[in-house]
Amino acid sequence: MRKSVSFFLLGPCLVSLAFGQASTSPGSPDERVRLFLDSQKDQWREENITESDGRLLYDLILRKGYTRALEIGTSTGHSGIWQAWALSKTGGALITVEIEEFRHLAAVRNFKAAGLDRLIDARLGDARKLVPDLEGPFDFIFIDADKNWALDYFKALLPKLAPGGCFAVHNVSSLGYMKGIRDFLEAVRGLDFMETTIEAAASGGISLSFKTKSPA
Ligand SMILES: C[S@@+](CC[C@H](N)C(=O)[O-])C[C@H]1O[C@@H](n2cnc3c(N)ncnc32)[C@H](O)[C@@H]1O
C-alpha cells in the first residue's frame, strides 16, 4: 500500500521532471501528446528535428507567450507537434507548409494522433508560392526547409513578423556553407531592429532573430 501511494505521488512529478513542464495527468491532453511522442521516440525518419530541438522550440514559445506560429517544412510533423503543444498552453495555433504529399499526409495523421490537429493548419504546397499570400502577423516563424531560399523567406515574412516576434532558421551552422544561409545571416545581422543569436546546442545550430521594434 505504502509503495503504491508513493508511486501515485511521485509518478507525475517524475513525468514533470522528465519533460520540464507541468505534470501530465492521466487522460489529459498533455498526457496524450506525451504518450504519442514516447511511442514515436527514435522513429522520426524524414529529416525531422531531434527531441532536444523540439524542446527548445517548445520552451521558447512558452517563455515568450507566442500564439501565432508559422513553420516552413512540416515533414511528418515532429517539430510541428512540439510547437503546437506549446501553443496549446499559450492559446495559439500553427500554420505549417509541406511540399511532399506523403509527408504532409503522414503529418496530418500524426497531429491527429497527438490530439493537436485542431491547433494546426497543415498546408500542402510549395512554400515559395504560398508564403506571399499568408496573412500574418506571426510572432514565431520557423524555417526548416529549402535553406537556399532562407533570405527570400525572410524578406517575404519580415513585414509579417510582429514586434517581439522571432524568426528562427534550423541548421544554420551545419548548412552554413549554403549561400542562402550565408546571405540570410548577413542580411538579418545588418538590421538594427533585429537581434540574432545562434543556439549552438541545437543540432546543426538554430538562429533566433528577434524583432526588437518595428523598422523605421
Ligand atoms: C528538414 S525537413 C522538415 C522537418 C520537420 N520540421 C520536422 O522536424 O518534423 C524539410 C522539409 O521541407 C520540405 N520542403 C522543401 N522545400 C519545400 C518548399 N519549397 N515548400 C514546402 N516544403 C518544402 C521537404 O519536403 C521536407 O519535408
Side-chain angles (χ1 to χ4, degrees), residues 52-81:
S52 62
D53 288 359
R55 282 167 198 270
L56 187 151
L57 301 179
Y58 175 99
D59 289 341
L60 177 63
I61 289 171
L62 270 191
R63 193 169 68 246
K64 296 284 185 179
Y66 291 146
T67 57
R68 298 159 294 178
L70 169 67
E71 172 180 68
I72 306 299
T74 318
S75 184
T76 49
H78 192 206
S79 51
I81 287 173

Side-chain angles (χ1 to χ4, degrees), residues 140-176:
F140 186 63
I141 297 173
F142 180 51
I143 306 296
D144 194 19
D146 214 9
K147 303 290 163 46
N148 259 332
W149 209 255
L151 179 59
D152 303 80
Y153 288 134
F154 179 61
K155 283 182 181 164
L157 289 166
L158 185 58
K160 300 174 187 181
L161 184 66
C166 177
F167 187 92
V169 183
H170 201 221
N171 300 130
V172 286
S173 305
S174 57
L175 300 179

